[in-house]
Amino acid sequence: GAVVSQHPSRVICKSGTSVKIECRSLDFQATTMFWYRQFPKQSLMLMATSNEGSKATYEQGVEKDKFLINHASLTLSTLTVTSAHPEDSSFYICSASPLRTGSGYTFGSGTRLTVV
Amino acid sequence: GQQVMQIPQYQHVQEGEDFTTYCNSSTTLSNIQWYKQRPGGHPVFLIQLVKSGEVKKQKRLTFQFGEAKKNSSLHITATQTTDVGTYFCAALKMNRDDKIIFGKGTRLHILP
């Protein structure tokens, strides 16, 4: 089945530093990947759509300069949280679809970011 | 914009009782997907419904897509402790990005 690998699973960083999160599709190519943010006991909020070889598409209210997305290959997308602040602490999850009929989206295992 | 409303937000049931979560949209959907997220885990794809009035079953889980393709439901028969988690419906957003919009989810808690 389709597998999406996300690293790191947990990260603690100091305020003002940047954190990079990687999302890899292991057994399929993904021209598009999606980045979500999830607060405790809440739904997934789509932050941006990562497009291979072009600029990411950000949802309304998401700061492009704060959440940098790079999709340099068909199997890798990265999300960098720049100048992190405690309010950026959250669960970040990526997803991609192998685009097989009825296959749904495969999610990474998520990254728990804590900014201290 | 397109929104997907999901109810109830929480549900506590005794083990062995049935459970249903509902998903509604103000616009016609091309398809609807259901996901399960265990506590501390990530969403896992359960199923996709495409056809009007479609009904699909996975063991004790029954998924339905409304005739007008504006609503859907997930019914679990005789719940077990392994059913604990949050169930999300998700609808494809109708633009070229093919991104899906999630409902707020229904958190299911099983009482032993």
Side-chain angles (χ1 to χ4, degrees), chain A residues 13-25:
Chain A
C13 71
K14 293 183 179 180
S15 287
T17 61
S18 295
V19 174
K20 180 184 284 188
I21 303 170
E22 292 189 349
C23 182
R24 294 180 186 272
S25 56

Side-chain angles (χ1 to χ4, degrees), chain A residues 96-115:
Chain A
S97 173
L99 296 179
R100 291 191 295 270
T101 302
S103 62
Y105 286 75
T106 300
F107 283 80
S109 55
T111 298
R112 177 78 56 194
L113 170 63
T114 303
V115 184

Side-chain angles (χ1 to χ4, degrees), chain B residues 62-73:
Chain B
T62 302
F63 304 85
Q64 291 188 319
F65 202 9
E67 294 290 342
K69 298 182 73 173
K70 289 184 176 182
N71 57 73
S72 180
S73 66

Side-chain angles (χ1 to χ4, degrees), chain B residues 92-109:
Chain B
L92 187 69
K93 191 171 181 180
M94 301 297 288
N95 63 27
R96 63 180 181 180
D97 291 330
D98 289 333
K99 48 193 171 186
I100 55 173
I101 303 300
F102 282 81
K104 291 190 180 295
T106 296
R107 189 137 38 96
L108 173 63
H109 182 67

Side-chain angles (χ1 to χ4, degrees), chain A residues 38 43 59 102-103 105 107-108, chain B residues 35 37 42 45 98-99 102-103:
Chain A
Q38 187 177 36
S43 187
E59 295 299 302
S103 62
Y105 286 75
F107 283 80
Chain B
Y35 293 79
Q37 184 176 21
H42 59 277
F45 174 73
D98 289 333
K99 48 193 171 186
F102 282 81

Side-chain angles (χ1 to χ4, degrees), chain B residues 34 46-47 49 54-58 61-65 72-75:
Chain B
W34 286 92
L46 295 177
I47 209 159
L49 304 173
E54 188 170 14
V55 178
K56 287 188 177 180
K57 291 191 175 184
Q58 290 179 351
L61 277 61
T62 302
F63 304 85
Q64 291 188 319
F65 202 9
S72 180
S73 66
L74 158 59
H75 180 82

Side-chain angles (χ1 to χ4, degrees), chain B residues 12-28:
Chain B
H12 293 76
V13 300
Q14 289 287 145
E15 187 174 6
E17 291 183 340
D18 293 356
F19 159 77
T20 305
T21 173
Y22 301 89
C23 195
N24 296 289
S25 170
S26 57
T27 59
T28 303

Side-chain angles (χ1 to χ4, degrees), chain A residues 13-116:
Chain A
C13 71
K14 293 183 179 180
S15 287
T17 61
S18 295
V19 174
K20 180 184 284 188
I21 303 170
E22 292 189 349
C23 182
R24 294 180 186 272
S25 56
L26 297 187
D27 50 359
F28 66 98
Q29 293 182 334
T31 55
T32 304
M33 290 186 178
F34 304 96
W35 287 96
Y36 293 85
R37 183 174 181 176
Q38 187 177 36
F39 290 102
K41 300 180 180 180
Q42 294 192 22
S43 187
L44 297 105
M45 182 192 79
L46 180 64
M47 298 174 65
T49 302
S50 172
N51 304 299
E52 187 269 334
S54 64
K55 291 182 179 180
T57 306
Y58 289 82
E59 295 299 302
Q60 190 173 7
V62 178
E63 298 177 60
K64 301 179 182 181
D65 295 332
K66 178 145 189 78
F67 299 100
L68 299 179
I69 290 174
N70 183 274
H71 196 150
S73 76
L74 287 171
T75 58
L76 173 64
S77 175
T78 61
L79 168 68
T80 301
V81 182
T82 63
S83 187
H85 291 285
E87 56 264 32
D88 298 324
S89 299
S90 190
F91 191 52
Y92 295 87
I93 317 177
C94 66
S95 76
S97 173
L99 296 179
R100 291 191 295 270
T101 302
S103 62
Y105 286 75
T106 300
F107 283 80
S109 55
T111 298
R112 177 78 56 194
L113 170 63
T114 303
V115 184
V116 298

